[in-house]
Each structure stands twice: as structure tokens, then as C-alpha cells.
Amino acid sequence: MKSILNRYTISLDIDVLTNIGEGKLNFYLKCELENIPDSEFIYMRRVGEYGPENKILMERFKSWLRNNITSDENTTILSIALDNPELVSPNECRYDVGMIFKDDFIENDIEEKIYSRKIRGGKYLVYLIPHNQESIQSIWINYHKVLIQKGYSQDYKRPIVERYKKSLVDNHLCELCVPII
């Protein structure tokens, strides 16, 4: 992992070693502010309880992507849980998997259930994490601790986004982008 991090000149954020409450924050590698622009998003959606079916949707989208769009090192896949299962019935929770589409227009592919919409940008606190189930679960449980420590407030009008840049995923890394006010 050390050589992977050196390739990206990523250093451990000092907050990783900071004590909050009873334990140490060691659930991310780096955390920084990013202004993400408004974007056109093409996606597949599933409705239902969050869980293993989300991974199946991710694999279905990646298969569609390989067959329909030329991808490269700049390809970035996003996954977006749109609903809080504590506030919305789990069987009504929406989950989108897709990518930012740089062309001006793409037709909806009804047969494959590919749709397009705008994603509202803005300021995000972006956490770089190892791309594995344990790290992704840990960041979802703990991201708010760093938000509080850094003095930010989450913008609940925009969803949190898991971002999978090909160049990072190839090195077993990914990002969680938390919208802030």
C-alpha cells in the first residue's frame, strides 16, 4: 500500500491520528475540500433495501459501460444512496450507479434502464479511502466526526457520493464526497 500511496504523493492527514472520544480516527487516508461542478449524470437506479443488490447494480452498470461507452483513465463511476433508511421505508430507498457524462446529450436507454439527469455541485469534503468493504462501511459510520472536528456542516439537500475514479480504483482506492454548507 505504501508504494501505491507514494505514486499519488498522498500523505496521511494529521486528523487520522487525532483522538476523538474513545477511539482514534483511522478510517481514511486523506481528507480535503473540493468544489465539484454541476454535472450531467447517466445512471441506473434500483429501489429497495440497501445491501448486496447495490453491488449487483454496480456490476450491471460497469457491463453496460464496457459495451456502450469508451472508458479511459479519466472514467469515474459514482454511486449515490438517495434516501436515509431511518427516514424512508427501506423498500423505497433509491440507489443510483452511473457516471459523469461530458457530452451535451445522451438519450435515455429505456431497454437497459439508463437515464440521465443533472447533479448539483458545490463544496464537498472528500475522503480518500482504501477500496474495500471494511473501509467503505467505516467511512459511512464515522465521516461526521471529521466534519464536526473541522467545523463543517453537512448539506442534507445534496446526497453523499461514493466516487470511483479509474486511476484510484486501479490502485485499490476510492473516495467518499460529503456535501457541506
Side-chain angles (χ1 to χ4, degrees):
M1 183 88 160
K2 188 175 181 180
S3 65
I4 292 169
L5 295 179
N6 286 341
R7 280 178 56 187
Y8 287 94
T9 61
I10 297 169
S11 60
L12 286 177
D13 189 308
I14 192 69
D15 295 331
V16 174
L17 305 175
T18 303
N19 284 318
I20 292 183
E22 298 176 6
K24 289 187 177 187
L25 297 178
N26 59 359
F27 55 90
Y28 67 96
L29 302 170
K30 188 176 181 178
C31 180
E32 59 189 16
L33 281 177
E34 183 176 335
N35 192 17
I36 298 176
D38 292 349
S39 303
E40 185 72 21
F41 180 61
I42 60 170
Y43 65 98
M44 290 181 170
R45 172 174 288 170
R46 70 172 292 277
V47 177
E49 188 172 356
Y50 298 143
E53 291 81 10
N54 293 356
K55 186 174 182 176
I56 294 168
L57 182 65
M58 174 71 79
E59 293 307 316
R60 196 171 119 225
F61 180 78
K62 289 193 296 190
S63 174
W64 178 88
L65 186 63
R66 281 189 296 276
N67 294 324
N68 292 280
I69 296 178
T70 304
S71 61
D72 58 25
E73 285 300 308
N74 297 317
T75 299
T76 300
I77 293 176
L78 307 177
S79 66
I80 306 171
L82 294 165
D83 300 298
N84 180 343
E86 294 175 2
L87 303 174
V88 174
S89 171
N91 64 348
E92 294 177 6
C93 288
R94 298 165 297 154
Y95 181 77
D96 292 348
V97 173
M99 67 177 283
I100 300 301
F101 194 76
K102 301 207 184 313
D103 288 349
D104 292 335
F105 178 79
I106 182 167
E107 290 186 38
N108 289 340
D109 183 340
I110 303 303
E111 185 176 316
E112 290 295 327
K113 297 188 179 173
I114 298 289
Y115 305 100
S116 65
R117 65 179 166 93
K118 297 269 186 213
I119 292 182
R120 201 173 106 218
K123 288 185 183 178
Y124 286 78
L125 196 57
V126 178
Y127 299 84
L128 179 68
I129 60 172
H131 183 215
N132 59 55
Q133 185 174 355
E134 180 181 299
S135 295
I136 292 170
Q137 287 175 339
S138 181
I139 193 73
W140 274 99
I141 293 167
N142 294 296
Y143 75 85
H144 65 281
K145 294 175 184 175
V146 176
L147 226 57
I148 292 166
Q149 182 189 28
K150 290 183 175 279
Y152 296 116
S153 296
Q154 184 173 341
D155 180 355
Y156 291 99
K157 293 179 182 175
R158 294 179 289 148
I160 295 172
V161 176
E162 291 177 17
R163 185 167 65 180
Y164 301 92
K165 294 179 180 175
K166 184 175 182 338
S167 59
L168 291 177
V169 172
D170 287 348
N171 289 289
H172 312 287
L173 300 167
C174 62
E175 297 167 311
L176 186 77
C177 306
V178 179
I180 59 173
I181 299 173

